[in-house]
């Protein structure tokens, strides 16, 4: 059976402690919970029991932390889960918080994707897709949001003009401009069309 090898006070919050199982950090708990359940180093305990203790004693605190975390800007579900995990919350607590946030409409990956797309410029659909996946947005939400976006040749043309500023309109430079647009996530057809317009 797993063993609690140490219980250490947390530096950033003196009211919380870190629980180490078999020499590795497992979760954080309030000191009050650790005392209530008589947790101590050398004690053998199932991880599932620690999960239950944390869920019972800290689910509201975790929810409050998550709500504060999204108050400044929208977050994806995965970003919230990663944030809570770094705070030492176990999977059951993360699941509870996310279920509550979904219920109240505080997280919505599709809305996040739409807001992100509307807030950036100079990126083609492929780069937008990569950005959103990197931020942990749900795949179906990404696909749905991108399906509603028309790749802008005007935006690609503006980028091409900026790239070509001060350069001769040689075949080589035009080809490099196309490559630059493709590297920004625009499709080859859009990039070529944008540079062809610039060439004319």
């Amino acid at each position: 059976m797993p063993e609690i090898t140490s219980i250490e006070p947390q530096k950033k919050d003196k009211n919380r402690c870190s629980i180490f199982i078999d020499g590795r950090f497992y979760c954080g708990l309030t000191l009050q919970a650790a005392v209530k359940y008589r947790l101590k180093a050398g004690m053998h305990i199932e991880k599932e029991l620690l999960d239950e203790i944390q869920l019972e004693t800290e689910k509201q605190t975790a929810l409050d932390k998550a709500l504060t975390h999204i108050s400044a800007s929208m977050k994806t579900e995965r970003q919230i889960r990663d944030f809570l995990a770094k705070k030492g919350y176990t999977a059951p607590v993360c699941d509870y918080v996310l279920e509550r946030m979904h219920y109240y409409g505080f997280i919505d990956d599709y809305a996040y994707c739409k807001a992100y797309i509307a807030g950036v410029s100079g990126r083609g659909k492929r780069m937008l897709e990569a950005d959103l996946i990197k931020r942990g947005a749900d795949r179906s939400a990404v696909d749905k949001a991108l399906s509603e976006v028309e790749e802008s040749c005007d935006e690609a043309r503006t980028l091409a003009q900026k790239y070509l500023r001060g350069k001769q309109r040689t075949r080589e430079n035009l080809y490099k401009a196309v490559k630059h647009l493709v590297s920004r996530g625009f499709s080859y057809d859009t990039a070529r069309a944008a540079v062809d317009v610039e060439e004319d």
Side-chain angles (χ1 to χ4, degrees):
M1 184 180 290
E3 179 185 345
I4 297 177
T5 46
S6 67
I7 300 176
E8 301 176 7
Q10 294 186 355
K11 293 179 181 179
K12 293 183 178 180
D13 188 343
K14 294 180 180 179
N15 294 315
R16 291 175 61 78
C17 59
S18 296
I19 308 295
F20 290 80
I21 297 289
D22 296 331
R24 300 183 65 181
F25 173 76
Y26 183 72
C27 70
L29 284 176
T30 62
L31 291 174
Q32 185 178 4
V35 171
K36 178 181 177 181
Y37 290 93
R38 300 179 181 178
L39 303 179
K40 59 184 179 180
M43 179 180 181
H44 292 273
I45 188 170
E46 293 290 352
K47 292 179 180 180
E48 290 78 10
L49 179 55
L50 278 176
D51 291 351
E52 291 175 13
I53 291 171
Q54 192 189 66
L55 180 60
E56 178 187 336
T57 60
E58 303 206 350
K59 60 185 182 183
Q60 188 56 50
T61 302
L63 179 57
D64 290 343
K65 286 183 184 295
L67 293 175
T68 300
H69 186 55
I70 66 168
S71 63
S73 63
M74 295 177 69
K75 301 288 189 296
T76 64
E77 179 175 332
R78 196 183 82 187
Q79 286 173 328
I80 294 293
R81 185 178 289 278
D82 289 347
F83 168 77
L84 292 172
K86 287 178 182 178
K87 293 289 185 183
Y89 291 107
T90 59
V93 173
C94 294
D95 291 342
Y96 169 83
V97 170
L98 291 169
E99 186 275 325
R100 290 286 85 194
M101 294 181 78
H102 273 296
Y103 179 78
Y104 291 115
F106 290 130
I107 48 174
D108 181 337
D109 277 12
Y110 169 64
Y112 176 93
C113 291
K114 291 200 68 168
Y116 181 84
I117 291 167
V120 298
S121 60
R123 300 182 187 192
K125 290 176 79 169
R126 285 190 297 106
M127 182 172 277
L128 289 170
E129 177 184 16
D131 287 348
L132 290 167
I133 293 298
K134 183 179 180 180
R135 285 164 171 75
D138 178 72
R139 178 82 243 187
S140 62
V142 173
D143 291 342
K144 183 180 179 183
L146 287 175
S147 72
E148 300 167 1
V149 174
E150 285 294 328
E151 194 162 68
S152 171
C153 192
D154 288 340
E155 193 171 11
R157 189 180 303 119
T158 299
L159 282 176
Q161 290 171 344
K162 185 177 180 181
Y163 178 83
L164 290 167
R165 192 175 297 145
K167 297 182 176 72
Q168 292 184 336
R169 299 308 199 260
T170 63
R171 190 176 191 86
E172 181 183 4
N173 283 339
L174 292 176
Y175 176 69
K176 287 181 178 178
V178 170
K179 283 184 66 177
H180 175 68
L181 292 177
V182 170
S183 76
R184 297 291 297 173
F186 291 94
S187 69
Y188 178 79
D189 289 342
T190 299
R192 185 59 193 259
V195 173
D196 284 345
V197 171
E198 168 66 17
E199 185 178 20
D200 295 339

